[in-house]
Amino acid sequence: MRNNEIYIQTELANKCNVPESTIRNRCRDFNKYFSPIKQNNNVFYSKYDYYKMVFIQGLRKTSPSLSTLEISKKLDEFCEDLEILELINKIINKHK
């Protein structure tokens, strides 16, 4: 890992404790929520992509399991929360 907030696909899969194919499938199934950066034959993911992967994993393990549509609705809310947290973090760092 280059720093603690950027991961290549293999690192993200290891950190999430899932196969790389799961990362690819989730990026395909929920592509509007992920924005990996492709550079030099590598795909890089942010800490927010990691948070979203963990969130999806938790929702996949619910009983009964949620559909892709239901997970998408919950991801919408989760992403809004992440945006608010990022904004708060920027405001706090601005005043340090």
Side-chain angles (χ1 to χ4, degrees):
M1 182 168 45
R2 275 140 278 323
N3 68 45
N4 61 358
E5 297 188 9
I6 302 294
Y7 311 95
I8 61 172
Q9 187 168 290
T10 302
E11 293 167 336
L12 183 61
N14 289 336
K15 187 164 177 66
C16 294
N17 200 28
V18 297
E20 283 187 61
S21 61
T22 298
I23 300 296
R24 286 191 299 275
N25 291 339
R26 288 188 180 152
C27 285
R28 183 196 65 228
D29 294 344
F30 303 102
N31 64 353
K32 83 175 199 176
Y33 304 101
F34 295 97
S35 51
I37 299 166
K38 296 179 182 176
Q39 185 178 41
N40 298 332
N41 294 326
N42 281 316
V43 179
F44 296 93
Y45 297 90
S46 71
K47 67 179 179 180
Y48 297 108
D49 292 325
Y50 166 68
Y51 298 155
K52 293 170 198 173
M53 288 289 176
V54 171
F55 186 72
I56 293 168
Q57 181 71 11
L59 294 175
R60 287 280 188 216
K61 290 184 174 183
T62 61
S63 181
S65 62
L66 299 176
S67 70
T68 299
L69 180 60
E70 291 169 316
I71 291 173
S72 289
K73 289 177 183 177
K74 293 195 178 291
L75 267 171
D76 283 333
E77 296 172 18
F78 186 68
C79 289
E80 287 176 17
D81 293 343
L82 286 176
E83 288 175 17
I84 291 169
L85 288 172
E86 182 64 18
L87 180 61
I88 290 169
N89 189 37
K90 286 179 182 178
I91 291 168
I92 289 170
N93 287 334
K94 194 179 212 180
H95 295 289
K96 282 187 175 179

